[in-house]
Amino acid sequence: MPEAAPPAAGPLLQASGLTKSFKVPRSASGSTTLRALDGVDLTLQRGETLGLVGESGCGKSTLARVLLMLERPDRGTLRFDGTDPFALRGRQLLAWRRRVQMVFQDPFASLNPRLNAGDLIGEPWRTHRDLVPRAERDKRVRRLLELVGLRESDARRYPQEFSGGQRQRIGIARALALEPDVVVCDEPVSALDLSVQAQVLNLLAELQGELGVSYVFISHDLSVVRHVADRVAVMYLGRVVETGGTEEIYANPRHPYTAALLSSAPSPVGSAEAEGSSRERILLRGEVPSPVDPPSGCRFRTRCWRAEDLCAAEAPAAAAHGADPAHTAACHFPLEPAAPARAG
């Protein structure tokens, strides 16, 4: 694998105002609109890991599909190295697709059981034929297997002959075959045992240090995100409600939803949180609203103990509420830093 190129100025990936809706059947007489993304702003710097967290149905996977150009947004812009990938055609589009790859949640379902590991890893080169000469592909497969901690002889084995962790390593090797700048990891360790999770997470960190690749890391597991991410973006019902550095977010959540989410996460045994210094458990009232019929104004207001009339009348814009301008929250009445949050 080549050495990482020196970083250029500006973010590697920048999304602004992304909106994506889907038509869903409502009854025999017609359909209605589900807005999966509603004005999402996001940036990804070179060589960093951005953690994307939130409840099921908040729009994380839809955002991932837009970033991969598997879905086209209804509105908003996406810039990759300053270029709009949705404006590309032909060879330019094919070349761009090399730069953004994906590691899927289920390492078995995402691998064709009829292909051995070597063929799976080399499969992207059938489309991107000019990247690796045919005579060098076997050698490159062996290098990729070694890079992800597998043996050269594993190239002849089939997915069903590997453990879950080994299959995920094959998926990572396949994603790296095109030498991408960004890898979108959609719950990449949720289907694995805890000990195997640690191995795969350590592998991803090692590869980032060696190759300079950037990750968008989607996960429900807040402890995993805290371990791997440089920055965190918290999503709720199609919107990003808080972003910031990982330790700052975990220590001083400013949005009430972020505080509730963090308070629900189990603390590791022996940690300060587990020994009594953690924030109090926040129990939210009500159910998550339907994305088909979301609340007016702030979408979290129907479950928020700090909500007032303004929250129903006006959607809050993301803003810095403290000393760190990179830590922003979309909330009219944000929490004070390190203040204990309490549900009403």
Side-chain angles (χ1 to χ4, degrees), residues 146-296:
E146 181 182 0
L147 191 66
V148 299
L150 295 174
R151 300 170 300 181
E152 292 183 8
S153 59
D154 289 330
R156 298 186 294 274
R157 298 170 62 196
Y158 289 81
Q160 56 269 29
E161 300 178 70
F162 292 96
S163 68
Q166 290 172 324
R167 285 195 289 265
Q168 196 60 294
R169 289 172 185 265
I170 294 170
I172 293 170
R174 180 176 61 181
L176 295 175
L178 295 178
E179 302 169 10
D181 297 298
V182 176
V183 176
V184 178
C185 302
D186 190 2
E187 300 276 4
V189 297
S190 63
L192 307 177
D193 294 337
L194 286 177
S195 60
V196 181
Q197 285 186 15
Q199 295 172 15
V200 173
L201 294 175
N202 289 337
L203 171 64
L204 289 171
E206 291 169 5
L207 293 172
Q208 186 174 56
E210 183 173 345
L211 305 175
V213 65
S214 301
Y215 296 130
V216 176
F217 194 96
I218 301 170
S219 180
H220 288 87
D221 192 327
L222 295 171
S223 62
V224 167
V225 171
R226 186 171 193 173
H227 177 70
V228 303
D230 301 300
R231 291 190 304 117
V232 175
V234 183
M235 291 192 68
Y236 183 82
L237 218 60
R239 293 176 177 171
V240 173
V241 297
E242 187 163 5
T243 58
T246 301
E247 290 308 314
E248 175 64 17
I249 289 278
Y250 277 68
N252 293 305
R254 307 306 302 274
H255 197 283
Y257 173 67
T258 306
L261 198 65
L262 292 174
S263 79
S264 68
S267 301
V269 175
S271 67
E273 291 85 352
E275 293 173 3
S277 63
S278 66
R279 60 182 63 90
E280 296 180 31
R281 180 72 166 90
I282 300 172
L283 299 177
L284 297 177
R285 61 177 183 260
E287 300 293 329
V288 180
S290 169
V292 172
D293 187 22
S296 62

Side-chain angles (χ1 to χ4, degrees), residues 88-99:
L88 302 177
R89 299 290 184 272
R91 290 184 178 275
Q92 288 183 320
L93 177 58
L94 187 65
W96 179 87
R97 289 196 179 278
R98 298 177 185 173
R99 303 185 66 183

